[in-house]
Amino acid sequence: MKTDGLDLASRSGWPDDLRHLLERYPREVWTGHVNLGDMARFWLARHEMFRELSQALVQAAGALREGDVPPDQFRQWFAPRLNFLLGELQTHHMIEDRQYFPVFVRAETSLAKGFDVLEADHETIHHALDDLARSGQMLAGAVDGGTPLVTRAADGFATVSDGFMKILLQHLADEEDLIVPVILDRTEAGLGIG
Ligand SMILES: [Fe+2]
Ligand SMILES: [Fe+2]
């Protein structure tokens, strides 16, 4: 897929040719806008959940490393939430790729390149999710192994999760900047997604 140098690891927002609708509908006007319907609110709430949950996982790993949380309690809290994040993100991306992106591209063909970029992001994030899952499982498995093992696993997770957070947050923000203005401009009913 052609992403014109807009790959997730190196970009910081959209270039001018993909910002014309965002200029008309900047973030400041989103909340409370009459065209921000139920679907958009639900979808933005999912993004917020992904942000909060991934941040909470990072913080929990840090607390384990510092000895601020009992190992058993950590594992019980951490493992199901990591699995939940992995599963929910995969489902979320699948629905976006198959169901929503085609609708937005049809409605606003001038943004087609942006949706190609977002789809490529999903691939990148899936690879990063594999790394995150591996690193998280190692951490959850290390809690019985004593302090040096926990410290090493927590350091490894911190490195992997830092990289993951960076690309996840960039993707969520750019995706919102591309999609919400289309919804505000055309309405959910007009797009057939309300
Ligand atoms: Fe996405
Ligand atoms: Fe998304």
Side-chain angles (χ1 to χ4, degrees):
M1 202 174 291
K2 198 163 174 286
T3 53
D4 281 344
L6 290 173
D7 54 289
L8 182 54
S10 60
R11 72 168 190 268
S12 54
W14 297 115
D16 287 348
D17 61 331
L18 294 171
R19 294 181 60 87
H20 52 282
L21 268 185
L22 181 61
E23 306 284 321
R24 264 167 56 201
Y25 301 96
R27 274 182 181 261
E28 302 84 80
V29 308
W30 295 1
T31 311
H33 194 290
V34 67
N35 291 346
L36 194 77
D38 290 343
M39 179 263 156
R41 288 174 198 279
F42 173 77
W43 178 77
L44 286 168
R46 297 296 287 175
H47 277 194
E48 209 44 45
M49 184 273 282
F50 292 135
R51 289 181 179 103
E52 285 171 9
L53 180 54
S54 45
Q55 191 57 50
L57 289 164
V58 169
Q59 279 167 358
L64 177 73
R65 191 191 187 288
E66 299 309 315
D68 293 339
V69 58
D72 268 357
Q73 196 180 316
F74 169 82
R75 187 164 45 203
Q76 269 178 28
W77 185 93
F78 185 81
R81 282 166 182 79
L82 177 65
N83 288 334
F84 178 78
L85 177 70
L86 301 175
E88 291 298 308
L89 265 176
Q90 302 220 3
T91 306
H92 180 80
H93 291 167
M94 198 175 69
I95 293 170
E96 288 178 342
D97 288 342
R98 294 189 188 167
Q99 223 169 305
Y100 288 121
F101 290 178
V103 170
F104 296 124
V105 171
R106 270 199 301 278
E108 196 59 57
T109 49
S110 66
L111 298 179
K113 185 174 75 181
F115 287 98
D116 281 349
V117 170
L118 292 176
E119 223 177 303
D121 286 358
H122 290 168
E123 282 277 318
T124 305
I125 292 170
H126 287 170
H127 291 301
L129 279 174
D130 288 343
D131 293 341
L132 191 76
R134 248 191 317 272
S135 177
Q137 280 153 9
M138 268 173 69
L139 180 59
V143 297
D144 295 327
T147 305
L149 206 63
V150 167
T151 303
R152 199 161 56 233
D155 286 346
F157 185 78
T159 304
V160 172
S161 59
D162 270 3
F164 176 77
M165 288 297 288
K166 187 174 172 292
I167 61 170
L168 179 71
L169 296 180
Q170 187 70 53
H171 172 75
L172 295 174
D174 291 345
E175 193 169 76
E176 292 167 2
D177 283 347
L178 203 69
I179 286 177
V180 172
V182 180
I183 293 174
L184 297 186
D185 197 57
R186 305 297 174 89
T187 76
E188 292 183 4
L191 290 161
I193 57 168

